[in-house]
């Protein structure tokens, strides 16, 4: 069989798989009504590296805030330990089967960072646990807020999680030694649901602008489809201004002190959202200060946006890890499951501890406070 035929057959299988995914999206049910559940199960999955340390601290703060709900049985915490790199490597899977079943038994998941093997690492080439979880639980929206009041920054990013350049990131093909292909995917259903979620959020939270970020002038087919469909959804929200920007100029405008104040809500394909949200987090103090939500209709997962920092563990510094990213993720978790008052209290306490009083600082070393000491500081500010 010649190499063109082999490549064509592999591409055909990818198309078939994506068409099956489209049919699943067409048949999906509506969003979970958390208020109607007899008990909300929060899975706590520490991951590896510094993940267990900062995740346990976020759980401790959540249990403090939800003490009455835990005592009444309305909220249950369930610890899931199986997402370490050692366990995943032994199973040869991004998420071992038994761990996936535990995750699916929860309604929402608080997840610590996980290690993704790179070339040269002493681990097998398994897929990112994050990417696998987004696929398995259909967590199609990655939501990342960034706020710096003193600079007029109040941004919320809606990054499409299951399509774009990442959905087939491990499925590219080498035609021969000289030619390689990767693939970008855009579907009508996938684009419309992330767009509608972003516009619904903007309307609910009184945000007057939604910006669509693509490179549709060059990546005309998939980015063009993403832009067109988002614009069509925007027409259903006439009170909200819709504009669109190319990804390259957007990265520049976020550092423009005058122009960046105009942005409010962003909708982005996966790759652009990954890049832009890391840039945006730097304004708030770095990726260690930012949390994110991964939302689907049945499941939701909340996490830090940074990595597992294995060097901190090796050097004996894990207890000094910054929990702010996981605490910000906890704010979004509380809001998502209907405890908005508790979410507001935690967000206000974090704003005080991170931006205003700063009686304790996290440095990642013994020059600053420990993770637990910072958690105590935050809880002392909860009103």
């Amino acid at each position: 069989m010649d190499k063109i035929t082999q490549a064509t057959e592999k591409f055909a299988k990818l198309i078939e798989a994506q068409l099956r995914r489209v049919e699943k999206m067409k048949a999906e049910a509506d969003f979970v009504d958390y208020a109607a559940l007899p008990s909300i199960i929060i899975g706590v999955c520490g991951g590896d590296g510094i993940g267990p340390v900062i995740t346990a601290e976020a759980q401790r703060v959540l249990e403090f805030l939800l003490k009455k709900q835990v005592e009444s049985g309305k909220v249950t915490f369930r610890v899931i330990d199986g997402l370490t790199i050692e366990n995943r490597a032994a199973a040869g899977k991004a998420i071992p089967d038994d761990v996936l079943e535990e995750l699916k038994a929860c309604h929402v998941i608080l997840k610590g960072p996980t290690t993704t093997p790179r070339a040269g690492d002493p681990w097998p080439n398994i897929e990112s646990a994050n990417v696998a979880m987004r696929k398995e639980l259909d967590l199609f929206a990655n939501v990342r807020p960034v706020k710096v009041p003193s600079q007029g920054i109040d941004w919320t990013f809606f990054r499409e999680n299951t399509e774009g350049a990442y959905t087939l990131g491990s499925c590219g093909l080498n035609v021969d030694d000289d030619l390689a292909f990767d693939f970008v995917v855009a579907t009508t259903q996938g684009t419309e649901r992330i767009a509608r979620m972003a516009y619904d959020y903007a309307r609910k939270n009184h945000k007057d602008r939604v910006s669509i970020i693509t490179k549709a002038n060059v990546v005309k087919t998939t980015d063009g489809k993403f832009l067109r469909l988002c614009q069509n959804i925007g027409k259903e929200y006439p009170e909200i201004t819709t504009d669109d920007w190319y990804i390259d100029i957007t990265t520049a405008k976020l550092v423009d002190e005058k122009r960046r104040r105009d942005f409010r809500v962003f909708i982005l394909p996966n790759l652009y959202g990954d890049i832009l949200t890391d840039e945006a987090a730097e304004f708030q103090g770095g990726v260690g200060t930012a949390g994110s939500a991964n939302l689907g209709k049945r499941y939701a997962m909340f996490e830090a946006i940074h990595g597992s920092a294995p060097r901190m563990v090796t050097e004996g510094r894990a207890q000094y890890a910054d929990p702010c990213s996981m605490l910000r993720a906890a704010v979004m978790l509380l809001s998502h499951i209907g405890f908005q008052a508790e979410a507001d209290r935690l967000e206000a306490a974090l704003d005080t501890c991170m931006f205003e009083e700063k009686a304790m600082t996290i440095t990642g070393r013994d020059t600053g406070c420990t993770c637990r000491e910072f958690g105590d500081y935050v809880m002392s500010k909860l009103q």
Side-chain angles (χ1 to χ4, degrees):
M1 186 182 298
D2 68 86
K3 56 189 176 184
I4 296 178
T5 302
Q6 289 178 321
T8 302
E9 288 186 355
K10 180 171 183 177
F11 187 37
K13 291 178 181 178
L14 295 177
I15 294 173
E16 290 171 0
Q18 290 303 303
L19 288 172
R20 289 193 295 270
R21 191 174 69 86
V22 166
E23 291 306 311
K24 286 179 65 177
M25 284 191 283
K26 289 180 179 179
E28 66 188 4
D30 206 350
F31 285 90
V32 170
D33 180 2
Y34 292 99
L37 295 175
S39 181
I40 301 170
I41 301 172
I42 301 175
V44 181
C45 198
D48 49 39
I50 64 170
V53 176
I54 60 177
T55 307
E57 195 57 35
Q59 178 184 353
R60 191 167 73 97
V61 174
L62 282 172
E63 288 176 337
F64 178 82
L65 278 163
L66 298 175
K67 182 179 179 181
K68 291 181 180 178
Q69 290 82 0
V70 171
E71 290 175 348
S72 70
K74 178 61 179 177
V75 172
T76 301
F77 287 88
R78 185 174 296 175
V79 176
I80 302 169
D81 291 324
L83 271 189
T84 63
I85 182 60
E86 292 82 4
N87 196 42
R88 290 181 285 131
K93 291 186 174 182
I95 305 176
D97 293 340
D98 60 331
V99 178
L100 182 59
E101 290 307 307
E102 288 187 80
L103 293 170
K104 287 183 175 179
C106 302
H107 297 107
V108 295
I109 299 155
L110 183 69
K111 177 192 162 294
T114 50
T115 301
T116 301
R118 302 172 298 176
D121 285 350
W123 307 109
N125 185 27
I126 54 176
E127 184 181 34
S128 159
N130 273 13
V131 172
M133 194 177 297
R134 290 164 185 166
K135 290 179 183 177
E136 291 287 348
L137 305 183
D138 197 25
L139 306 176
F140 63 85
N142 182 256
V143 185
R144 296 185 178 181
V146 172
K147 183 172 66 172
V148 187
S150 63
Q151 298 182 35
I153 292 173
D154 183 9
W155 301 329
T156 306
F157 296 84
F158 283 78
R159 166 190 168 192
E160 204 293 317
N161 240 354
T162 58
E163 301 189 352
Y166 284 8
T167 187
L168 299 178
S170 59
C171 301
L173 63 90
N174 292 291
V175 177
D176 56 23
D177 289 342
D178 300 314
L179 181 61
F181 281 94
D182 273 312
F183 303 99
V184 177
V185 174
T187 69
T188 297
Q189 292 73 21
T191 303
E192 287 183 343
R193 65 186 184 178
I194 186 70
R196 193 170 300 284
M197 182 179 281
Y199 278 99
D200 282 346
Y201 170 86
R203 173 176 282 173
K204 179 181 177 182
N205 290 276
H206 310 291
K207 309 291 186 181
D208 60 0
R209 182 178 298 272
V210 171
S211 302
I212 307 163
I213 313 301
T214 68
K215 192 62 178 172
N217 58 331
V218 176
V219 188
K220 295 181 184 295
T221 302
T222 50
D223 278 23
K225 180 182 183 71
F226 188 93
L227 173 60
R228 184 178 68 256
L229 290 172
C230 288
Q231 289 173 328
N232 287 341
I233 295 294
K235 294 175 183 177
E236 301 175 21
Y237 300 78
E239 78 279 16
I240 298 171
T241 298
T242 296
D243 58 13
D244 69 275
W245 296 76
Y246 299 137
I247 179 61
D248 45 356
I249 192 61
T250 308
T251 61
K253 291 304 176 186
L254 290 195
V255 298
D256 182 332
E257 293 186 5
K258 293 181 180 179
R259 198 56 183 267
R260 70 188 182 203
R261 294 171 178 264
D262 295 337
F263 292 111
R264 288 293 177 266
V265 176
F266 300 77
I267 313 174
L268 316 88
N270 210 329
L271 174 60
Y272 307 150
D274 194 6
I275 295 168
L276 210 62
T277 51
D278 277 8
E279 181 198 15
E282 286 299 308
F283 292 100
Q284 188 173 267
V287 294
T289 68
S292 69
N294 297 268
L295 308 180
K297 292 191 172 182
R298 168 64 180 83
Y299 299 100
M301 181 264 283
F302 302 83
E303 62 177 344
I305 73 169
H306 57 73
S308 58
R311 182 180 298 176
M312 289 187 69
V313 179
T314 302
E315 296 175 355
R317 297 186 289 114
Q319 70 270 31
Y320 297 105
D322 188 343
C324 288
S325 55
M326 290 303 297
L327 292 171
R328 290 287 181 187
V331 171
M332 288 184 279
L333 186 154
L334 289 166
S335 178
H336 185 72
I337 62 176
F339 297 110
Q340 191 59 51
E342 290 80 0
D344 292 342
R345 287 172 62 201
L346 180 53
E347 183 174 33
L350 284 168
D351 287 348
T352 297
C353 297
M354 292 172 65
F355 303 132
E356 297 171 18
E357 295 184 4
K358 297 184 180 181
M360 288 189 177
T361 57
I362 290 277
T363 65
R365 299 180 181 276
D366 60 9
T367 54
C369 64
T370 66
C371 177
R372 187 176 183 87
E373 286 171 341
F374 193 85
D376 287 339
Y377 177 41
V378 170
M379 285 191 285
S380 74
K381 298 298 179 183
L382 288 169
Q383 301 298 323

